[in-house]
Amino acid sequence: QVRLEESGGGLVQAGGSLRLSCAASGEIFVTAPMVWYHQPPGKQRDMVAAITEGGTTHYAEHVKGRFTISRDGAKNTVFLQMNSLKSDDTGVYYCNLGKAWGQGTQVTVSP
């Protein structure tokens, strides 16, 4: 069983930055990409960034140039560096690996 734990969320002013972390533990035999999802208040959860086991990255169009996903394979940890944050980036950010989901971390961007 894979367990994922996100951290790094918080309150930041528009234009600021946050770095989210997702630590994976347990029986990690899954070779699926690790993915960050964003769920704004009252809306559906959408992918914002993904990274494959080989290091290939994918981004949602609206975060390209602002967000960077990376991974520390030795520590089974994935990061999401978020710069130039906007109020639309507010919401809960979830980490996903295969069928496993973290509990989410709240990001609030104030105007």
Side-chain angles (χ1 to χ4, degrees):
Q1 183 177 355
V2 177
R3 292 174 294 277
L4 302 175
E5 183 172 1
E6 303 96 336
S7 62
L11 174 64
V12 64
Q13 287 188 328
S17 299
L18 283 174
R19 189 190 195 209
L20 306 183
S21 299
C22 172
S25 60
E27 300 178 351
I28 305 172
F29 300 113
V30 179
T31 59
M34 293 192 76
V35 187
W36 283 101
Y37 284 79
H38 169 224
Q39 186 166 18
K43 297 184 179 180
Q44 68 181 22
R45 192 179 301 185
D46 290 323
M47 187 276 285
V48 291
I51 186 166
T52 68
E53 193 178 33
T56 301
T57 58
H58 302 274
Y59 297 96
E61 195 64 35
H62 68 284
V63 305
K64 285 182 179 178
R66 299 191 299 123
F67 290 10
T68 303
I69 189 171
S70 60
R71 68 190 303 165
D72 181 338
K75 297 182 179 180
N76 291 319
T77 302
V78 172
F79 306 98
L80 186 66
Q81 178 67 42
M82 305 188 296
N83 299 329
S84 302
L85 283 162
K86 306 174 182 180
S87 56
D88 288 347
D89 297 320
T90 292
V92 181
Y93 285 76
Y94 296 91
C95 181
N96 165 257
L97 174 61
K99 295 182 180 181
W101 290 88
Q103 81 289 348
T105 185
Q106 175 70 43
V107 170
T108 303
V109 183
S110 63

